[in-house]
Amino acid sequence: MQTEEKHETTVATQDSCPLLGIDHLELYVGNAKQAAYFYQSAFGFQPLAYAGPETGVKDKASYVLAQGNIRLVLSCSLIPVSEIAAHVNMHGDGVKVIALKVKNTEKAYQNSIDRGARSYLEPVVNKDEHGEVSLSGIHTYGDTVHVFVDRSNYKGLFAPGYEEWKPSYCPGEVGLKEVDHLVGNVDWMQMNVWTKFYEDVLGFNQLVSFDDKDISTEYSALMSKVMSDGEGKIKFPINEPAVGKRKSQVEEYLIFYKGAGVQHIALETDDIISTVTQLKERGVEFLNIPTGYYDTLAERCGEIEEELSSLKELGVLVDRDEDGYLLQIFTKPVEDRPTVFFEIIQRRGARSFGKGNFKALFETIEKEQARRGNL
Ligand code: FE2
């Protein structure tokens, strides 16, 4: 059943202070040094900057890595009691900060607070010899936050407090360019609460919605709405579990993450075959789609530029919408809790999210859940 809705929203909260894109993602992790090595080695992120005891920060260590326009910050606590330590204790490794670029962090903050957001960080300006970075922040679902960032007056590598990080070990990039979208999992009956939050507070529109009839297998189901800023630069699908015979993947996430949080980070490449080939060589584990999936691919998706045999060998999925087609593949969770994972996506015109792949994908995820004893 097709349930795509074009939803006109007149609340353009941040019109006076538009969101310019995703500045960076900060993950709170148990061991930032080892996480940095993983994202360098496995995903081809390049070392950029570091903050920790050597740079005058006593209670935490942070590594900044970049690839294309994607910036990841990996932070861990150096002391037993801190915001990071509590977050990692509760959630395991996970995305804490989805940082959004703005022109005016004070205005973005004030607009958001006026529209009902809860404060995370009051506006602050951090300075060093390279200039200044302005920050402010609000809470979103779970313990996740949005930090507004204005670095237009900063010439340094990342932000005051950070120094160049230049390890001798430096594997190459794998062709990842941009954050395509970020998916949040929220609790039962909370999807509409949080889509309304994005409408009211950040002036987002709803691009698409999927209900449990679209996204269900025999056992598990979920519902999803895709929220986007006016220009479509920022896309945040929000999922909630739906009733199925067994525990859905969203429920499994909520149990192990101990609440709402970022489920997956979708990263865009211009050449998914090359990117995924390299990621596999570097040990990134992907979900294995039954090869029968490819028997009906031509029927479903029509002509595509890529060799079917290469896609089949790598397990890359294809879906078509009215604007074109897309190629996508999903990693297994990147930590021991079955929580955060990555999607690698290449868009050939399509602006959707791979609805035609949901069934094959979810059956594969259920097999993984069953192996973990969580189905
Ligand atoms: Fe996705």
Side-chain angles (χ1 to χ4, degrees):
M1 192 178 80
Q2 195 77 9
T3 54
E4 300 199 1
E5 292 169 22
K6 293 276 182 273
H7 193 95
E8 300 292 329
T9 305
T10 49
V11 186
T13 314
Q14 302 291 2
D15 260 7
S16 54
C17 187
L19 301 174
L20 306 175
I22 292 176
D23 185 84
H24 67 268
L25 303 174
E26 182 169 8
L27 282 75
Y28 283 179
V29 299
N31 185 333
K33 184 187 274 264
Q34 290 189 4
Y37 178 81
F38 173 75
Y39 285 101
Q40 271 190 282
S41 304
F43 282 87
F45 282 91
Q46 302 299 300
L48 184 68
Y50 167 81
E54 299 83 348
T55 71
V57 179
K58 294 297 175 212
D59 58 349
K60 67 174 190 170
S62 296
Y63 296 76
V64 186
L65 300 97
Q67 186 168 188
N69 290 321
I70 310 157
R71 266 190 298 233
L72 288 186
V73 181
L74 305 164
S75 295
C76 73
S77 181
L78 302 179
I79 53 175
V81 179
S82 69
E83 184 200 4
I84 298 176
H87 198 275
V88 171
N89 186 42
M90 179 66 84
H91 304 294
D93 290 5
V95 177
K96 173 65 181 182
V97 179
I98 303 166
L100 303 170
K101 275 180 223 163
V102 296
K103 278 203 184 104
N104 185 329
T105 53
E106 279 192 34
K107 202 183 257 181
Y109 178 83
Q110 206 49 57
N111 284 351
S112 301
I113 299 299
D114 291 347
R115 303 284 181 146
R118 196 156 56 89
S119 173
Y120 171 67
L121 174 67
E122 289 188 11
V124 60
V125 181
N126 296 324
K127 297 181 186 179
D128 68 8
E129 69 271 28
H130 304 294
E132 58 183 49
V133 174
S134 304
L135 304 170
S136 62
I138 58 169
H139 286 268
T140 177
Y141 48 76
D143 285 330
T144 317
V145 300
H146 289 304
V147 168
F148 300 116
V149 183
D150 170 21
R151 57 175 73 256
S152 58
N153 295 314
Y154 195 68
K155 301 269 181 285
L157 286 168
F158 182 66
Y162 286 81
E163 289 180 4
E164 184 177 25
W165 171 42
K166 218 175 169 184
S168 54
Y169 175 73
C170 197
E173 300 192 347
V174 298
L176 298 170
K177 303 253 168 169
E178 300 277 352
V179 175
D180 184 88
H181 60 274
L182 273 176
V183 180
N185 279 343
V186 299
D187 221 323
W188 295 91
M189 313 296 286
Q190 292 296 300
M191 179 179 68
N192 288 331
V193 171
W194 289 103
T195 54
K196 189 171 184 316
F197 169 88
Y198 280 101
E199 280 180 3
D200 291 350
V201 172
L202 295 179
F204 278 28
N205 299 319
Q206 184 183 314
L207 283 184
V208 189
S209 78
F210 307 101
D211 66 16
D212 53 348
K213 291 174 200 68
D214 295 313
I215 314 182
S216 69
T217 59
E218 191 185 351
Y219 290 125
S220 58
L222 65 85
M223 295 191 285
S224 187
K225 285 185 178 174
V226 181
M227 304 305 293
S228 173
D229 68 311
E231 293 185 27
K233 283 194 299 282
I234 302 171
K235 288 163 286 192
F236 293 157
I238 310 273
N239 296 334
E240 78 169 50
V243 179
K245 279 193 203 160
R246 299 277 188 90
K247 199 186 289 166
S248 78
Q249 51 168 308
V250 179
E251 283 177 273
E252 188 194 36
Y253 175 101
L254 294 170
I255 289 165
F256 282 88
Y257 199 76
K258 297 285 173 210
V262 171
Q263 178 211 40
H264 74 264
I265 302 167
L267 302 177
E268 194 177 11
T269 170
D270 290 337
D271 185 348
I272 198 164
I273 291 177
S274 159
T275 297
V276 173
T277 300
Q278 293 179 72
L279 291 171
K280 284 199 161 184
E281 282 168 8
R282 290 160 178 238
V284 175
E285 294 179 315
F286 292 93
L287 292 175
N288 294 313
I289 297 298
T291 50
Y293 169 87
Y294 295 92
D295 298 345
T296 55
L297 187 64
E299 228 168 87
R300 280 199 303 109
C301 297
E303 209 154 290
I304 55 172
E305 288 183 38
E306 292 73 16
E307 286 286 341
L308 189 64
S309 58
S310 309
L311 300 178
K312 192 171 172 176
E313 196 186 314
L314 294 170
V316 171
L317 310 178
V318 189
D319 195 29
R320 188 175 278 281
D321 65 17
E322 61 276 22
D323 300 308
Y325 70 96
L326 62 81
L327 304 120
Q328 63 186 168
I329 188 168
F330 297 84
T331 73
K332 292 184 180 179
V334 289
E335 58 285 293
D336 291 296
R337 294 195 202 193
T339 55
V340 183
F341 60 89
F342 284 81
E343 171 182 350
I344 310 300
I345 183 166
Q346 181 179 0
R347 293 187 179 278
R348 289 209 185 266
R351 292 192 291 173
S352 53
F353 298 86
K355 183 171 124 175
N357 292 323
F358 288 168
K359 195 168 189 301
L361 201 55
F362 293 177
E363 284 170 356
T364 300
I365 291 173
E366 283 171 14
K367 277 188 202 142
E368 294 284 316
Q369 277 181 257
R371 287 178 57 214
R372 294 190 281 261
N374 294 332
L375 186 65

